Amino acid sequence: MRSGLYQSKAASYGMQADSPLDWDLSEWQGATIIRPSGVLDVGTYGVLRDALLKCAADQPRAVIVDLEALAITKDHLTSVFVAVWLRISQWSTVALVVVPGSAHAALARHGPMRRFVTVRPTVLDALAGLGDPPPRRRTELWLPSSPRSVGAAAPFVTDTCGNWDIDSLGEPAVTVAGELVANAAEHAHSPARLRLELRLGRLTVAVADDDVRPVSLPPVGKRTPEPRSGLPLVAHLAHAAGWSPKQSGGKIVWAVLRPPHAQPVPVPDGD
């Protein structure tokens, strides 16, 4: 087991060093275990949400949230776990499991998160209940920080779509991958990791880089003339798209493509 305490982590989210919310992180059996401490209130809701999304962006087997040391001021604030689950489920198979602890056992049984989020009595139970991930296909390609990486990404995406019998998604996938790789090369100036993942008929195209700066993705789903290039073109082609900083550093930008007959991917508000 590898663990580490991250003191005053909330300070990195623009809050004061003495913020009422903090957490420590550990890794066990491929899962990330986060133990928030302090107070979950309206002011720290977004901080905890973003911390959980950062953990998921590193693609562990699961994100397990142990609430034993967390005070929750209002019952409805547990909706943060539903919001995180909705966002993760758009593009990833990372499981989100909440361990409410004795202090929040009743809330977990009757609150809103029980309908959407897996709840387990202990961290050991959470690990034991993970099982195998949902059926999926996944492949990755590491690319150097170079404009030539766009050209290298195209045949990789085309061949993968052909091998997975999703040729109808080949052209938009090549375009989306090219724009995301080009964005990483131009703005992040770092190597990029291109990941393709197919599950439930939907293809996720994701690019991770070492730059922590945010990206500006236009809203997805607006009926506008097709942009020529860039992230506006990604948003135009995708049925869901977003980005998240990674707990290990850098960020990941992703887009979900689906064939015309597939059901839409639910899109919650915000990034």
Side-chain angles (χ1 to χ4, degrees), residues 63-65 67 78 81-82 85 95-101 104-123 125-127 129-130:
V63 175
I64 299 173
V65 192
L67 302 181
T78 59
F81 305 111
V82 179
W85 172 80
L96 178 68
V97 186
V98 174
V99 177
H104 307 298
L107 181 59
R109 284 195 299 269
H110 305 293
M113 66 179 174
R114 185 72 190 199
R115 295 177 53 195
F116 302 96
V117 180
T118 301
V119 177
R120 294 287 184 261
T122 68
V123 171
D125 287 319
L127 288 166
L130 289 180

mmCIF file of all heavy atoms in Angstrom, residues 63-65 67 78 81-82 85 95-101 104-123 125-127 129-130:
data_model
loop_
_atom_site.group_PDB
_atom_site.id
_atom_site.type_symbol
_atom_site.label_atom_id
_atom_site.label_comp_id
_atom_site.label_asym_id
_atom_site.label_seq_id
_atom_site.Cartn_x
_atom_site.Cartn_y
_atom_site.Cartn_z
ATOM 1 N N VAL A 63 -12.275 5.085 -7.610
ATOM 2 C CA VAL A 63 -12.068 6.140 -6.617
ATOM 3 C C VAL A 63 -12.991 5.808 -5.448
ATOM 4 O O VAL A 63 -14.216 5.770 -5.598
ATOM 5 C CB VAL A 63 -12.391 7.532 -7.179
ATOM 6 C CG1 VAL A 63 -12.271 8.584 -6.077
ATOM 7 C CG2 VAL A 63 -11.459 7.873 -8.335
ATOM 8 N N ILE A 64 -12.396 5.547 -4.289
ATOM 9 C CA ILE A 64 -13.145 5.188 -3.082
ATOM 10 C C ILE A 64 -13.072 6.371 -2.120
ATOM 11 O O ILE A 64 -11.976 6.825 -1.774
ATOM 12 C CB ILE A 64 -12.574 3.917 -2.436
ATOM 13 C CG1 ILE A 64 -12.682 2.739 -3.423
ATOM 14 C CG2 ILE A 64 -13.300 3.593 -1.138
ATOM 15 C CD1 ILE A 64 -11.993 1.475 -2.945
ATOM 16 N N VAL A 65 -14.229 6.866 -1.689
ATOM 17 C CA VAL A 65 -14.308 8.054 -0.844
ATOM 18 C C VAL A 65 -14.741 7.637 0.552
ATOM 19 O O VAL A 65 -15.866 7.177 0.758
ATOM 20 C CB VAL A 65 -15.299 9.079 -1.420
ATOM 21 C CG1 VAL A 65 -15.153 10.416 -0.693
ATOM 22 C CG2 VAL A 65 -15.110 9.263 -2.922
ATOM 23 N N LEU A 67 -15.774 8.755 4.115
ATOM 24 C CA LEU A 67 -16.343 9.975 4.700
ATOM 25 C C LEU A 67 -16.274 10.018 6.216
ATOM 26 O O LEU A 67 -16.865 10.913 6.830
ATOM 27 C CB LEU A 67 -17.811 10.116 4.270
ATOM 28 C CG LEU A 67 -18.090 10.167 2.770
ATOM 29 C CD1 LEU A 67 -19.588 10.341 2.529
ATOM 30 C CD2 LEU A 67 -17.307 11.280 2.107
ATOM 31 N N THR A 78 -24.639 15.927 -0.377
ATOM 32 C CA THR A 78 -24.144 14.640 -0.859
ATOM 33 C C THR A 78 -24.387 14.469 -2.359
ATOM 34 O O THR A 78 -23.886 13.520 -2.964
ATOM 35 C CB THR A 78 -24.795 13.474 -0.095
ATOM 36 O OG1 THR A 78 -26.214 13.527 -0.259
ATOM 37 C CG2 THR A 78 -24.441 13.534 1.382
ATOM 38 N N PHE A 81 -21.500 13.731 -4.933
ATOM 39 C CA PHE A 81 -21.051 12.413 -5.409
ATOM 40 C C PHE A 81 -21.834 11.976 -6.652
ATOM 41 O O PHE A 81 -21.283 11.323 -7.533
ATOM 42 C CB PHE A 81 -21.182 11.388 -4.291
ATOM 43 C CG PHE A 81 -20.452 11.796 -3.041
ATOM 44 C CD1 PHE A 81 -21.152 12.135 -1.893
ATOM 45 C CD2 PHE A 81 -19.068 11.886 -3.019
ATOM 46 C CE1 PHE A 81 -20.482 12.535 -0.749
ATOM 47 C CE2 PHE A 81 -18.391 12.280 -1.882
ATOM 48 C CZ PHE A 81 -19.099 12.619 -0.743
ATOM 49 N N VAL A 82 -23.080 12.372 -6.736
ATOM 50 C CA VAL A 82 -23.863 12.106 -7.945
ATOM 51 C C VAL A 82 -23.306 12.916 -9.113
ATOM 52 O O VAL A 82 -23.171 12.406 -10.235
ATOM 53 C CB VAL A 82 -25.345 12.435 -7.714
ATOM 54 C CG1 VAL A 82 -26.158 12.179 -8.988
ATOM 55 C CG2 VAL A 82 -25.906 11.629 -6.554
ATOM 56 N N TRP A 85 -20.125 11.271 -10.237
ATOM 57 C CA TRP A 85 -20.424 10.020 -10.947
ATOM 58 C C TRP A 85 -20.937 10.296 -12.363
ATOM 59 O O TRP A 85 -20.525 9.646 -13.320
ATOM 60 C CB TRP A 85 -21.458 9.213 -10.173
ATOM 61 C CG TRP A 85 -21.942 8.021 -10.939
ATOM 62 C CD1 TRP A 85 -21.322 6.816 -11.079
ATOM 63 C CD2 TRP A 85 -23.141 7.934 -11.708
ATOM 64 N NE1 TRP A 85 -22.064 5.977 -11.888
ATOM 65 C CE2 TRP A 85 -23.180 6.645 -12.279
ATOM 66 C CE3 TRP A 85 -24.192 8.816 -11.963
ATOM 67 C CZ2 TRP A 85 -24.243 6.222 -13.095
ATOM 68 C CZ3 TRP A 85 -25.238 8.401 -12.766
ATOM 69 C CH2 TRP A 85 -25.253 7.116 -13.316
ATOM 70 N N ALA A 95 -14.769 3.366 -11.429
ATOM 71 C CA ALA A 95 -15.872 3.228 -10.478
ATOM 72 C C ALA A 95 -15.738 4.269 -9.371
ATOM 73 O O ALA A 95 -14.626 4.592 -8.933
ATOM 74 C CB ALA A 95 -15.874 1.829 -9.879
ATOM 75 N N LEU A 96 -16.872 4.794 -8.919
ATOM 76 C CA LEU A 96 -16.910 5.693 -7.766
ATOM 77 C C LEU A 96 -17.672 4.987 -6.654
ATOM 78 O O LEU A 96 -18.831 4.598 -6.827
ATOM 79 C CB LEU A 96 -17.596 7.007 -8.126
ATOM 80 C CG LEU A 96 -17.728 8.015 -6.975
ATOM 81 C CD1 LEU A 96 -16.348 8.538 -6.560
ATOM 82 C CD2 LEU A 96 -18.640 9.173 -7.359
ATOM 83 N N VAL A 97 -16.997 4.801 -5.510
ATOM 84 C CA VAL A 97 -17.591 4.099 -4.382
ATOM 85 C C VAL A 97 -17.486 4.994 -3.151
ATOM 86 O O VAL A 97 -16.409 5.539 -2.863
ATOM 87 C CB VAL A 97 -16.891 2.752 -4.110
ATOM 88 C CG1 VAL A 97 -17.624 1.987 -3.016
ATOM 89 C CG2 VAL A 97 -16.813 1.916 -5.387
ATOM 90 N N VAL A 98 -18.584 5.141 -2.424
ATOM 91 C CA VAL A 98 -18.603 5.971 -1.223
ATOM 92 C C VAL A 98 -18.714 5.073 0.005
ATOM 93 O O VAL A 98 -19.562 4.176 0.061
ATOM 94 C CB VAL A 98 -19.775 6.969 -1.261
ATOM 95 C CG1 VAL A 98 -19.876 7.737 0.062
ATOM 96 C CG2 VAL A 98 -19.610 7.941 -2.423
ATOM 97 N N VAL A 99 -17.839 5.325 0.978
ATOM 98 C CA VAL A 99 -17.880 4.640 2.270
ATOM 99 C C VAL A 99 -18.337 5.686 3.294
ATOM 100 O O VAL A 99 -17.548 6.546 3.698
ATOM 101 C CB VAL A 99 -16.496 4.069 2.643
ATOM 102 C CG1 VAL A 99 -16.543 3.415 4.015
ATOM 103 C CG2 VAL A 99 -16.021 3.081 1.574
ATOM 104 N N PRO A 100 -19.612 5.659 3.692
ATOM 105 C CA PRO A 100 -20.144 6.757 4.510
ATOM 106 C C PRO A 100 -19.627 6.783 5.941
ATOM 107 O O PRO A 100 -19.616 7.837 6.573
ATOM 108 C CB PRO A 100 -21.658 6.524 4.477
ATOM 109 C CG PRO A 100 -21.807 5.065 4.215
ATOM 110 C CD PRO A 100 -20.649 4.675 3.346
ATOM 111 N N GLY A 101 -19.210 5.631 6.484
ATOM 112 C CA GLY A 101 -18.791 5.605 7.873
ATOM 113 C C GLY A 101 -19.983 5.673 8.803
ATOM 114 O O GLY A 101 -21.130 5.893 8.388
ATOM 115 N N HIS A 104 -22.402 8.888 8.773
ATOM 116 C CA HIS A 104 -23.290 9.199 7.653
ATOM 117 C C HIS A 104 -24.010 7.967 7.119
ATOM 118 O O HIS A 104 -24.508 7.984 5.989
ATOM 119 C CB HIS A 104 -22.485 9.854 6.529
ATOM 120 C CG HIS A 104 -21.680 11.034 6.966
ATOM 121 N ND1 HIS A 104 -22.254 12.170 7.479
ATOM 122 C CD2 HIS A 104 -20.334 11.241 6.980
ATOM 123 C CE1 HIS A 104 -21.302 13.044 7.794
ATOM 124 N NE2 HIS A 104 -20.133 12.506 7.505
ATOM 125 N N ALA A 105 -24.088 6.917 7.909
ATOM 126 C CA ALA A 105 -24.708 5.677 7.443
ATOM 127 C C ALA A 105 -26.172 5.892 7.080
ATOM 128 O O ALA A 105 -26.646 5.429 6.038
ATOM 129 C CB ALA A 105 -24.576 4.597 8.507
ATOM 130 N N ALA A 106 -26.917 6.618 7.917
ATOM 131 C CA ALA A 106 -28.337 6.849 7.647
ATOM 132 C C ALA A 106 -28.518 7.715 6.411
ATOM 133 O O ALA A 106 -29.405 7.472 5.584
ATOM 134 C CB ALA A 106 -28.995 7.504 8.857
ATOM 135 N N LEU A 107 -27.674 8.707 6.260
ATOM 136 C CA LEU A 107 -27.746 9.586 5.099
ATOM 137 C C LEU A 107 -27.490 8.810 3.812
ATOM 138 O O LEU A 107 -28.146 9.043 2.790
ATOM 139 C CB LEU A 107 -26.737 10.726 5.252
ATOM 140 C CG LEU A 107 -26.687 11.761 4.131
ATOM 141 C CD1 LEU A 107 -28.031 12.436 3.968
ATOM 142 C CD2 LEU A 107 -25.602 12.804 4.436
ATOM 143 N N ALA A 108 -26.561 7.880 3.864
ATOM 144 C CA ALA A 108 -26.251 7.081 2.679
ATOM 145 C C ALA A 108 -27.408 6.159 2.315
ATOM 146 O O ALA A 108 -27.642 5.877 1.138
ATOM 147 C CB ALA A 108 -24.993 6.259 2.924
ATOM 148 N N ARG A 109 -28.138 5.703 3.317
ATOM 149 C CA ARG A 109 -29.261 4.795 3.041
ATOM 150 C C ARG A 109 -30.444 5.521 2.412
ATOM 151 O O ARG A 109 -31.161 4.959 1.590
ATOM 152 C CB ARG A 109 -29.717 4.119 4.337
ATOM 153 C CG ARG A 109 -28.806 3.000 4.808
ATOM 154 C CD ARG A 109 -29.498 2.157 5.861
ATOM 155 N NE ARG A 109 -29.853 2.929 7.052
ATOM 156 C CZ ARG A 109 -29.062 3.072 8.120
ATOM 157 N NH1 ARG A 109 -27.870 2.501 8.125
ATOM 158 N NH2 ARG A 109 -29.459 3.779 9.154
ATOM 159 N N HIS A 110 -30.640 6.776 2.791
ATOM 160 C CA HIS A 110 -31.854 7.479 2.376
ATOM 161 C C HIS A 110 -31.576 8.710 1.507
ATOM 162 O O HIS A 110 -32.516 9.301 0.980
ATOM 163 C CB HIS A 110 -32.645 7.918 3.614
ATOM 164 C CG HIS A 110 -32.957 6.789 4.541
ATOM 165 N ND1 HIS A 110 -33.803 5.765 4.205
ATOM 166 C CD2 HIS A 110 -32.513 6.519 5.808
ATOM 167 C CE1 HIS A 110 -33.892 4.916 5.212
ATOM 168 N NE2 HIS A 110 -33.108 5.337 6.197
ATOM 169 N N GLY A 111 -30.346 9.107 1.364
ATOM 170 C CA GLY A 111 -30.022 10.308 0.607
ATOM 171 C C GLY A 111 -30.003 10.069 -0.897
ATOM 172 O O GLY A 111 -30.161 8.945 -1.380
ATOM 173 N N PRO A 112 -29.764 11.133 -1.684
ATOM 174 C CA PRO A 112 -29.822 11.039 -3.137
ATOM 175 C C PRO A 112 -28.724 10.190 -3.750
ATOM 176 O O PRO A 112 -28.910 9.610 -4.819
ATOM 177 C CB PRO A 112 -29.697 12.500 -3.590
ATOM 178 C CG PRO A 112 -29.005 13.201 -2.450
ATOM 179 C CD PRO A 112 -29.497 12.506 -1.220
ATOM 180 N N MET A 113 -27.583 10.084 -3.074
ATOM 181 C CA MET A 113 -26.475 9.379 -3.714
ATOM 182 C C MET A 113 -26.714 7.878 -3.810
ATOM 183 O O MET A 113 -26.140 7.200 -4.667
ATOM 184 C CB MET A 113 -25.159 9.654 -2.981
ATOM 185 C CG MET A 113 -25.063 9.104 -1.587
ATOM 186 S SD MET A 113 -23.433 9.474 -0.869
ATOM 187 C CE MET A 113 -23.648 8.897 0.808
ATOM 188 N N ARG A 114 -27.577 7.328 -2.961
ATOM 189 C CA ARG A 114 -27.791 5.888 -2.964
ATOM 190 C C ARG A 114 -28.358 5.401 -4.297
ATOM 191 O O ARG A 114 -28.106 4.273 -4.712
ATOM 192 C CB ARG A 114 -28.749 5.515 -1.826
ATOM 193 C CG ARG A 114 -28.958 4.010 -1.658
ATOM 194 C CD ARG A 114 -27.710 3.379 -1.064
ATOM 195 N NE ARG A 114 -27.747 1.931 -1.098
ATOM 196 C CZ ARG A 114 -26.997 1.146 -0.342
ATOM 197 N NH1 ARG A 114 -26.141 1.678 0.513
ATOM 198 N NH2 ARG A 114 -27.054 -0.154 -0.439
ATOM 199 N N ARG A 115 -29.119 6.250 -4.984
ATOM 200 C CA ARG A 115 -29.748 5.862 -6.245
ATOM 201 C C ARG A 115 -28.741 5.730 -7.383
ATOM 202 O O ARG A 115 -29.003 5.028 -8.355
ATOM 203 C CB ARG A 115 -30.822 6.875 -6.632
ATOM 204 C CG ARG A 115 -32.006 6.934 -5.690
ATOM 205 C CD ARG A 115 -32.977 8.006 -6.115
ATOM 206 N NE ARG A 115 -33.368 7.839 -7.522
ATOM 207 C CZ ARG A 115 -33.972 8.784 -8.234
ATOM 208 N NH1 ARG A 115 -34.232 9.958 -7.680
ATOM 209 N NH2 ARG A 115 -34.313 8.560 -9.486
ATOM 210 N N PHE A 116 -27.614 6.412 -7.272
ATOM 211 C CA PHE A 116 -26.685 6.468 -8.396
ATOM 212 C C PHE A 116 -25.295 5.934 -8.076
ATOM 213 O O PHE A 116 -24.616 5.405 -8.956
ATOM 214 C CB PHE A 116 -26.544 7.925 -8.883
ATOM 215 C CG PHE A 116 -27.831 8.556 -9.310
ATOM 216 C CD1 PHE A 116 -28.560 9.339 -8.437
ATOM 217 C CD2 PHE A 116 -28.323 8.354 -10.591
ATOM 218 C CE1 PHE A 116 -29.755 9.923 -8.830
ATOM 219 C CE2 PHE A 116 -29.518 8.931 -10.996
ATOM 220 C CZ PHE A 116 -30.236 9.723 -10.114
ATOM 221 N N VAL A 117 -24.865 6.092 -6.842
ATOM 222 C CA VAL A 117 -23.481 5.813 -6.472
ATOM 223 C C VAL A 117 -23.422 4.535 -5.641
ATOM 224 O O VAL A 117 -24.274 4.310 -4.771
ATOM 225 C CB VAL A 117 -22.876 6.994 -5.676
ATOM 226 C CG1 VAL A 117 -21.436 6.708 -5.290
ATOM 227 C CG2 VAL A 117 -22.964 8.276 -6.505
ATOM 228 N N THR A 118 -22.416 3.723 -5.878
ATOM 229 C CA THR A 118 -22.214 2.520 -5.076
ATOM 230 C C THR A 118 -21.780 2.903 -3.665
ATOM 231 O O THR A 118 -20.867 3.714 -3.483
ATOM 232 C CB THR A 118 -21.146 1.620 -5.715
ATOM 233 O OG1 THR A 118 -21.572 1.256 -7.032
ATOM 234 C CG2 THR A 118 -20.930 0.356 -4.897
ATOM 235 N N VAL A 119 -22.436 2.326 -2.663
ATOM 236 C CA VAL A 119 -22.130 2.606 -1.260
ATOM 237 C C VAL A 119 -21.726 1.298 -0.594
ATOM 238 O O VAL A 119 -22.409 0.276 -0.743
ATOM 239 C CB VAL A 119 -23.340 3.229 -0.540
ATOM 240 C CG1 VAL A 119 -23.025 3.445 0.939
ATOM 241 C CG2 VAL A 119 -23.737 4.542 -1.203
ATOM 242 N N ARG A 120 -20.611 1.330 0.139
ATOM 243 C CA ARG A 120 -20.124 0.157 0.850
ATOM 244 C C ARG A 120 -19.821 0.534 2.297
ATOM 245 O O ARG A 120 -19.435 1.678 2.577
ATOM 246 C CB ARG A 120 -18.869 -0.401 0.188
ATOM 247 C CG ARG A 120 -19.100 -0.967 -1.208
ATOM 248 C CD ARG A 120 -19.835 -2.293 -1.139
ATOM 249 N NE ARG A 120 -19.990 -2.908 -2.453
ATOM 250 C CZ ARG A 120 -21.090 -2.840 -3.187
ATOM 251 N NH1 ARG A 120 -22.137 -2.158 -2.724
ATOM 252 N NH2 ARG A 120 -21.159 -3.427 -4.373
ATOM 253 N N PRO A 121 -19.964 -0.400 3.252
ATOM 254 C CA PRO A 121 -19.769 -0.068 4.673
ATOM 255 C C PRO A 121 -18.328 0.231 5.060
ATOM 256 O O PRO A 121 -18.079 0.993 5.997
ATOM 257 C CB PRO A 121 -20.302 -1.302 5.403
ATOM 258 C CG PRO A 121 -20.249 -2.412 4.399
ATOM 259 C CD PRO A 121 -20.476 -1.780 3.071
ATOM 260 N N THR A 122 -17.368 -0.400 4.394
ATOM 261 C CA THR A 122 -15.953 -0.183 4.721
ATOM 262 C C THR A 122 -15.139 -0.105 3.430
ATOM 263 O O THR A 122 -15.604 -0.506 2.357
ATOM 264 C CB THR A 122 -15.383 -1.322 5.585
ATOM 265 O OG1 THR A 122 -15.327 -2.525 4.790
ATOM 266 C CG2 THR A 122 -16.244 -1.559 6.822
ATOM 267 N N VAL A 123 -13.916 0.387 3.563
ATOM 268 C CA VAL A 123 -13.021 0.442 2.415
ATOM 269 C C VAL A 123 -12.696 -0.964 1.916
ATOM 270 O O VAL A 123 -12.628 -1.214 0.705
ATOM 271 C CB VAL A 123 -11.721 1.202 2.774
ATOM 272 C CG1 VAL A 123 -10.686 1.075 1.660
ATOM 273 C CG2 VAL A 123 -12.028 2.674 3.036
ATOM 274 N N ASP A 125 -14.627 -3.577 2.081
ATOM 275 C CA ASP A 125 -15.801 -4.036 1.335
ATOM 276 C C ASP A 125 -15.852 -3.382 -0.047
ATOM 277 O O ASP A 125 -16.250 -4.012 -1.029
ATOM 278 C CB ASP A 125 -17.084 -3.713 2.104
ATOM 279 C CG ASP A 125 -17.263 -4.609 3.319
ATOM 280 O OD1 ASP A 125 -16.991 -5.813 3.222
ATOM 281 O OD2 ASP A 125 -17.674 -4.081 4.376
ATOM 282 N N ALA A 126 -15.468 -2.120 -0.099
ATOM 283 C CA ALA A 126 -15.459 -1.420 -1.385
ATOM 284 C C ALA A 126 -14.477 -2.071 -2.353
ATOM 285 O O ALA A 126 -14.783 -2.293 -3.524
ATOM 286 C CB ALA A 126 -15.107 0.045 -1.178
ATOM 287 N N LEU A 127 -13.294 -2.405 -1.863
ATOM 288 C CA LEU A 127 -12.293 -3.057 -2.709
ATOM 289 C C LEU A 127 -12.763 -4.453 -3.129
ATOM 290 O O LEU A 127 -12.614 -4.840 -4.294
ATOM 291 C CB LEU A 127 -10.968 -3.153 -1.960
ATOM 292 C CG LEU A 127 -10.215 -1.836 -1.768
ATOM 293 C CD1 LEU A 127 -9.113 -2.004 -0.739
ATOM 294 C CD2 LEU A 127 -9.635 -1.348 -3.093
ATOM 295 N N GLY A 129 -15.713 -5.505 -3.521
ATOM 296 C CA GLY A 129 -16.865 -5.470 -4.402
ATOM 297 C C GLY A 129 -16.614 -4.885 -5.770
ATOM 298 O O GLY A 129 -17.546 -4.789 -6.586
ATOM 299 N N LEU A 130 -15.385 -4.494 -6.067
ATOM 300 C CA LEU A 130 -15.124 -3.847 -7.351
ATOM 301 C C LEU A 130 -15.345 -4.792 -8.521
ATOM 302 O O LEU A 130 -15.948 -4.436 -9.521
ATOM 303 C CB LEU A 130 -13.698 -3.279 -7.377
ATOM 304 C CG LEU A 130 -13.453 -2.069 -6.492
ATOM 305 C CD1 LEU A 130 -12.010 -1.617 -6.611
ATOM 306 C CD2 LEU A 130 -14.400 -0.920 -6.875
#
